[in-house]
């Protein structure tokens, strides 16, 4: 019988003693939106400095345990999991600005905090990802990106050097250009990142303008040409209304240019707003109310370029009297228009009543963009679906030399969408799931799509996909063996990357693997009740409805009854429709 594992870690001045019998005691943690469940042999540890982190790694080596260093857990793949000791970098958050146009940041510092410190020193980063709540270590771990074909869009491509604790428990500084190619997107598999030195530039402003266009610009090359001529360029496509919201911006060194606007793309919300949104998303999907979902999609579209009721304006400017007003075009410091964070309460921060997003994202050669979107449009004509949360979000990035960047070796277009998780994601499918499944498979198999490391279901991170779609797999594997020869930082994700096996970090409650992209269906029981596994165009296995699920019968309501500029109005109309549908069902039963 295996004796209990003992971990004794001296953390100055804290003494932490954990006794675990791995056969009977497990510790669990999840991704930020609850879709990834990790089973560890230890609770999450919280070192307060690099030396304490090193002691944890050294003790894990001694006890033949594995370690996973965590940031904000804003990835929804099992890249964040370990069967061993999870370690948070929450308290490793210092930022030191240098006079040589660099900044050295501990791995647990959040992006917005770093940018604020840089601002105080009159400096900034040339381009940043959209969510300011990610940690620096996590951002470079998965290659988080913004949107530009002129500037490096990832923090990974702005790295000068970094300090790690390697798999032997030793501090090591990485600054050789060839070695850095592996560490720029490290996936948590090359060591524990202690700090990162990034290249800085003088503070600058940006003028950005959001406006609607016809979707035709996606297919005729117009949008791609425009992306190559602006410092900032991204799109939101709304297929059901055949329209696109364009966001284009240009940098300026003129700090006296009037304007202090900020983005509210990821806004603070109240508990009441979260609950109302969650109920509306669920009602619209449960009743398969495509008109209601399109109204929610239209609301999102309008919110990106004009004022609406129920959501903060996409850009706001604050005046001396403290009032905030909608601004579009908007002028402000560039980083504040590119990134923000919900600092009080995010939509996913309301316990079991949160809006939990399920995220899908793929990257392609930028020149493939028209073909990919035409293919997507064709699938949606066969399998209708709505994109209620962010539309189809389209961003761009310059070619990277990072081995594991999804933009390695090619200018890339990134296509992503977010869908609201169902109340019961284990048995209830997202409405439109067949379309989402077919689109993702077509992207990977027909257009050389590369899955974003921190998004998508685990099917897209299996051996077959890695072999086909990860061009620098072998050199990265060599770096894994060099810096972590004993596999201290390995997890199931890493072992799949080494092509050792295809074991997934399965949520123990998952019974129908296709509903959350743990698999591509081969049997109908991989899908939900009242669904069957079938193929689209003879190629892509997807889950499709066979019969409408009882007991709710959806009544058609003209779209004109929805006020797509007022979220509260949409919520109330969806609630009324659900009540009318239930009354109709009761009446029908009585007549029988």
């Amino acid at each position: 019988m295996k004796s209990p594992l003992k971990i004794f870690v001296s953390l100055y001045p804290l003494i932490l003693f954990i006794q675990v019998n791995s056969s009977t005691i497990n510790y669990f943690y999840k991704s930020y939106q609850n879709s990834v469940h990790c089973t560890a042999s230890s609770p999450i540890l919280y070192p307060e400095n690099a030396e304490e982190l090193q002691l944890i790694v050294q003790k894990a080596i001694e006890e033949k345990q594995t370690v996973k260093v965590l940031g904000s857990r804003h990835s929804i793949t099992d890249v964040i999991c370990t069967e061993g000791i999870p370690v948070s970098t929450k308290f490793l958050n210092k930022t030191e600005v240098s006079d040589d146009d660099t900044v050295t940041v501990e791995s647990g510092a959040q992006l917005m905090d770093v940018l604020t410190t840089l601002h105080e020193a009159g400096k900034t980063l040339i381009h940043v990802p959209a969510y300011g709540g990610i940690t620096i270590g996590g951002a470079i771990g998965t290659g988080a990106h913004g949107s530009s074909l002129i500037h490096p869009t990832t923090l990974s491509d702005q790295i000068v050097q970094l300090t790690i604790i390697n798999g032997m428990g030793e501090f090591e500084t990485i600054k050789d250009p060839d070695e850095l190619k592996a560490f720029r997107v490290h996936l948590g598999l090359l060591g524990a990142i202690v700090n990162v030195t990034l290249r800085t530039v003088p503070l600058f402003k940006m003028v950005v303008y959001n406006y609607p266009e016809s979707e035709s610009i996606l297919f005729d090359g117009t949008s791609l040409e425009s992306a190559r001529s602006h410092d900032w360029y991204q799109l939101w496509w709304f297929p059901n209304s055949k329209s696109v919201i364009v966001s284009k911006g240009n940098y300026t060194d003129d700090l006296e240019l009037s304007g202090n606007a900020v983005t509210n793309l990821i806004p603070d919300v109240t508990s009441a707003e979260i609950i109302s949104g969650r109920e509306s998303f669920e009602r619209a999907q449960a009743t398969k109310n495509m008109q209601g979902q399109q109204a929610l999609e239209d609301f999102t579209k309008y919110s990106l370029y004009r004022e609406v009721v129920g959501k903060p304006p996409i850009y706001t400017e604050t005046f001396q009297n403290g009032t905030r007003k909608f601004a579009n075009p908007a002028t402000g410091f560039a980083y504040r228009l590119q990134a923000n964070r919900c600092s009080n309460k995010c939509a996913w921060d309301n316990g079991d009543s949160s809006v939990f997003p399920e995220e899908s994202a793929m990257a392609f050669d930028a020149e493939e963009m028209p073909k990919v979107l035409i293919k997507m449009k064709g699938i949606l004509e066969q399998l209708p679906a709505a994109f209620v949360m962010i539309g189809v979000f389209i961003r761009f990035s310059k070619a990277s030399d990072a081995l594991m960047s999804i933009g390695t070796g090619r200018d890339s277009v990134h296509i992503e969408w977010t869908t609201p998780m169902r109340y019961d994601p284990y048995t209830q499918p997202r409405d439109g799931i067949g379309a989402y499944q077919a689109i993702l498979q077509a992207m990977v198999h027909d257009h050389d799509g590369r899955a974003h490391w921190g998004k998508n279901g685990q099917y897209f991170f299996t051996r077959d996909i890695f072999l086909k779609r990860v061009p620098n797999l072998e050199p990265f594997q060599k770096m894994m063996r060099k810096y972590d020869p004993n596999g201290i930082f390995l997890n199931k994700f890493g072992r799949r990357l080494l092509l050792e096996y295809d074991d997934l970090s399965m949520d123990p409650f998952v019974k129908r693997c296709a509903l959350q992209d743990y698999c591509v269906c081969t049997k109908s029981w991989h899908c939900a009740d009242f669904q069957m596994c079938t193929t689209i165009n003879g190629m892509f296995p997807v889950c499709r409805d066979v019969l409408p699920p009882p007991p709710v019968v959806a009544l058609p309501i003209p779209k004109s009854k929805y006020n797509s500029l007022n979220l509260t109005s949409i919520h109330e109309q969806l609630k009324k429709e659900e009540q009318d549908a239930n009354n109709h069902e009761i009446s029908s039963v009585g007549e029988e």
Side-chain angles (χ1 to χ4, degrees):
M1 180 177 176
K2 188 175 181 179
S3 62
L5 172 66
K6 294 184 178 180
I7 305 174
F8 185 82
V9 184
S10 176
L11 301 183
Y12 311 99
L14 175 67
I15 301 296
L16 176 64
F17 181 80
I18 304 171
Q19 185 168 339
V20 177
N21 184 324
S22 59
S23 65
T24 59
I25 299 177
N26 289 312
Y27 296 88
F28 303 94
Y29 62 95
K30 300 180 182 181
S31 57
Y32 83 103
Q33 42 68 286
N34 279 2
S35 69
V36 176
H37 290 234
C38 305
T39 303
S41 64
S42 161
I44 297 175
L45 305 185
Y46 292 84
E48 296 188 357
N49 53 53
E51 290 71 28
E52 292 181 358
L53 176 58
Q54 182 185 34
L55 284 172
I56 293 172
V57 173
Q58 291 174 340
K59 201 63 183 178
I61 293 170
E62 180 182 327
E63 298 287 351
K64 295 182 171 52
Q65 276 274 38
T66 57
V67 173
K68 168 56 64 175
V69 180
L70 302 169
S72 60
R73 282 179 273 159
H74 209 78
S75 295
I76 67 163
T77 67
D78 65 334
V79 72
I80 68 171
C81 289
T82 183
E83 300 106 334
I85 305 169
V87 184
S88 171
T89 56
K90 179 178 180 179
F91 300 116
L92 278 69
N93 55 20
K94 296 182 179 63
T95 297
E96 183 177 341
V97 183
S98 300
D99 294 330
D100 62 353
D101 297 327
T102 64
V103 60
T104 299
V105 185
E106 289 189 321
S107 60
Q110 290 193 8
L111 176 60
M112 286 307 294
D113 294 330
V114 174
L115 292 167
T116 300
T117 300
L118 283 171
H119 186 141
E120 293 169 354
K123 299 182 179 184
T124 192
L125 302 176
I126 193 66
H127 206 92
V128 295
Y131 182 52
I134 54 176
T135 63
I136 299 303
I140 67 170
T142 59
H145 60 89
S147 188
S148 176
L149 285 173
I150 294 177
H151 307 287
T153 61
T154 66
L155 302 187
S156 302
D157 287 326
Q158 299 172 59
I159 294 175
V160 176
Q161 68 177 43
L162 42 75
T163 301
I164 70 165
I165 299 167
N166 62 29
M168 290 71 78
E170 304 160 340
F171 286 108
E172 189 165 355
T173 298
I174 310 298
K175 54 186 174 182
D176 176 84
D178 289 332
E179 301 283 288
L180 279 176
K181 289 178 182 179
F183 282 88
R184 290 189 190 281
V185 180
H186 56 78
L187 300 175
L189 298 172
L190 301 178
I193 308 300
V194 175
N195 61 52
V196 183
T197 300
L198 300 167
R199 188 176 299 106
T200 63
V201 297
L203 199 62
F204 62 92
K205 285 191 168 184
M206 181 169 75
V207 180
V208 62
Y209 178 43
N210 290 15
Y211 59 93
E213 280 273 15
S214 164
E215 69 177 7
S216 62
I217 67 169
L218 302 175
F219 313 128
D220 63 10
T222 300
S223 58
L224 183 56
E225 181 181 352
S226 189
R228 296 192 186 282
S229 61
H230 291 88
D231 295 301
W232 160 272
Y233 191 84
Q234 60 187 24
L235 308 162
W236 293 271
W237 178 31
F238 296 90
N240 287 300
S241 59
K242 297 180 170 58
S243 56
V244 177
I245 304 304
V246 177
S247 181
K248 63 182 182 182
N250 288 310
Y251 293 174
T252 174
D253 295 329
D254 183 3
L255 300 186
E256 300 302 317
L257 188 65
S258 178
N260 64 3
V262 300
T263 181
N264 303 296
L265 181 63
I266 305 171
D268 278 308
V269 284
T270 66
S271 292
E273 289 169 336
I274 296 170
I275 292 170
S276 180
R278 185 171 187 262
E279 289 176 350
S280 292
F281 289 142
E282 180 66 19
R283 284 191 182 102
Q285 293 189 84
T287 59
K288 299 194 177 298
N289 180 352
M290 184 55 67
Q291 291 177 333
Q293 291 180 65
Q294 288 176 12
L296 290 165
E297 185 180 288
D298 285 345
F299 174 81
T300 296
K301 176 180 70 176
Y302 292 134
S303 74
L304 293 168
Y305 73 97
R306 60 176 296 178
E307 290 187 273
V308 295
V309 176
K311 188 176 183 179
I314 182 66
Y315 306 119
T316 52
E317 189 156 350
T318 303
F319 296 89
Q320 288 185 345
N321 62 4
T323 60
R324 295 200 311 166
K325 290 188 178 180
F326 170 66
N328 187 30
T331 301
F333 292 104
Y335 76 90
R336 290 178 177 170
L337 288 167
Q338 293 174 2
N340 80 308
R341 66 179 170 191
C342 35
S343 54
N344 294 318
K345 179 168 281 193
C346 306
W348 55 84
D349 284 339
N350 204 49
D352 291 338
S353 297
S354 298
V355 175
F356 293 126
E358 300 204 48
E359 301 173 275
S360 302
M362 293 281 171
F364 314 85
D365 188 312
E367 297 299 328
E368 281 285 296
M369 175 180 162
K371 293 179 183 178
V372 174
L373 294 178
I374 288 170
K375 173 71 67 65
M376 190 171 175
K377 185 174 175 64
I379 291 172
L380 289 169
E381 288 171 354
Q382 299 176 70
L383 296 171
F387 300 87
V388 299
M389 297 187 77
I390 59 169
V392 178
F393 195 20
I394 302 171
R395 295 185 286 175
F396 302 86
S397 65
K398 287 181 62 176
S400 171
D401 70 355
L403 293 183
M404 300 304 279
S405 168
I406 56 175
T408 189
R410 64 190 190 187
D411 286 353
S412 297
V413 59
H414 304 260
I415 299 174
E416 61 189 282
W417 62 89
T418 299
T419 52
M421 193 180 294
R422 296 295 303 274
Y423 281 6
D424 177 7
Y426 303 111
T427 63
Q428 299 299 318
R430 292 163 287 159
D431 197 27
I433 189 172
Y436 308 140
Q437 292 171 336
I439 290 166
L440 287 169
Q441 292 175 62
M443 287 176 165
V444 170
H445 298 299
D446 292 353
H447 298 283
D448 192 20
R450 300 172 185 167
H452 189 298
W453 297 112
K455 303 179 182 181
N456 305 289
Q458 291 183 41
Y459 164 78
F460 296 100
F461 304 103
T462 51
R463 284 186 298 180
D464 287 347
I465 302 294
F466 287 151
L467 283 168
K468 293 175 183 176
R469 296 293 173 257
V470 181
N472 296 315
L473 183 59
E474 186 174 343
F476 189 76
Q477 291 171 336
K478 289 180 179 178
M479 295 295 281
M480 289 173 65
R481 295 184 178 103
K482 176 180 178 179
Y483 284 93
D484 186 22
N486 298 312
I488 297 302
F489 299 100
L490 267 184
N491 57 4
K492 290 182 179 180
F493 185 97
R495 293 187 184 98
R496 297 199 301 273
L497 204 63
L498 288 174
L499 309 180
E500 292 180 357
Y501 59 51
D502 261 346
D503 193 14
L504 304 179
S505 301
M506 291 285 290
D507 180 335
F509 294 102
V510 168
K511 304 298 181 186
R512 300 169 183 269
C513 59
L515 296 188
Q516 291 173 298
D517 293 332
Y518 283 96
C519 71
V520 166
C521 70
T522 56
K523 307 289 184 182
S524 291
W525 57 265
H526 293 157
C527 305
D529 289 337
F530 306 103
Q531 286 190 324
M532 66 181 295
C533 181
T534 186
T535 58
I536 296 298
N537 301 331
M539 296 177 63
F540 308 120
V542 301
C543 298
R544 296 190 70 173
D545 293 345
V546 178
L547 297 170
V552 177
V553 177
L555 298 178
I557 292 181
K559 192 176 180 182
S560 60
K561 290 192 176 182
Y562 295 100
N563 179 356
S564 292
L565 294 173
N566 188 319
L567 188 58
T568 301
S569 172
I570 298 172
H571 292 335
E572 291 303 316
Q573 185 60 54
L574 287 168
K575 183 185 293 185
K576 180 178 183 299
E577 176 176 355
E578 183 181 51
Q579 292 169 346
D580 290 346
N582 288 332
N583 291 338
H584 177 82
E585 174 68 15
I586 292 170
S587 175
S588 297
V589 171
E591 290 173 2
E592 292 175 2

